[in-house]
Amino acid sequence: MTKSFRVLILAFLSVGVFACGGGGDSGGGGGADDTTPVSFSGSVQPIFTTNCVSCHSPGGTGAVLDLRSTLSYANLVGQPSAVTGTPPSGTLVVAGDHASSVLYQRITGDGLAAGEDIMPQGLPQLSDTDKDTIETWIDQGAANN
Ligand code: HEC
């Protein structure tokens, strides 16, 4: 085996390691690659459970929208916003169109009506990775997967 061939193999190996490491700890979904299917139950719901359910469940200040794991999907996809700002907020998740989805508007601030707070309310914003995961899931058709 020539020396240059060994170098080539090493180069391939390190590319492989880098590609695997690049997925981060997001549980296999989301991330930078928009073609990798994002799992609602595996990648999106954990974001809600960690950052949102404390308010978005019965008794919480955001109880108007229950984001607990067995309920969130049915409460979001194709559902009208319960909060009417000016203009009225619209649909919480429009499958295939993150920009028109109130959920996405709430976590980024893009297109929010006056008086509507960015989420999570009063707390630091979600990481860019989490925002990307939700954006990609919506654009891939908001499947219950
Ligand atoms: C500290 C409490 C709190 C946390 C944490 C929180 N929210 Fe909210 N959320 C609220 C309140 C209160 C409202 C309603 C008032 C308003 O319109 O701003 C609301 C409204 C919303 C709405 C609009 C509902 C509708 O019917 O139009 C969405 C969507 C939303 N939150 C998503 C989230 C998401 C996603 C997270 C986690 C990333 C989150 N919230 C975290 C308190 C919270």
Side-chain angles (χ1 to χ4, degrees), residues 6-99:
R6 274 202 305 271
V7 169
L8 200 64
I9 290 176
L10 270 179
F12 271 119
L13 285 177
S14 35
V15 166
V17 167
F18 180 76
C20 292
D25 61 357
S26 62
D33 181 2
D34 289 358
T35 59
T36 305
V38 175
S39 160
F40 180 74
S41 58
S43 297
V44 176
Q45 181 62 44
I47 299 172
F48 298 154
T49 303
T50 303
N51 301 284
C52 320
V53 161
S54 57
C55 294
H56 286 280
S57 54
T61 55
V64 64
L65 174 63
D66 198 329
L67 290 178
R68 288 177 298 166
S69 64
T70 51
L71 303 165
S72 56
Y73 185 86
N75 286 339
L76 284 170
V77 180
Q79 297 303 308
S81 162
V83 177
T84 34
T86 315
S89 299
T91 303
L92 292 172
V93 169
V94 181
D97 184 357
H98 72 267

Side-chain angles (χ1 to χ4, degrees), residues 95-115:
D97 184 357
H98 72 267
S100 301
S101 299
V102 170
L103 171 66
Y104 183 79
Q105 294 166 359
R106 285 284 187 161
I107 60 167
T108 58
D110 297 345
L112 267 192

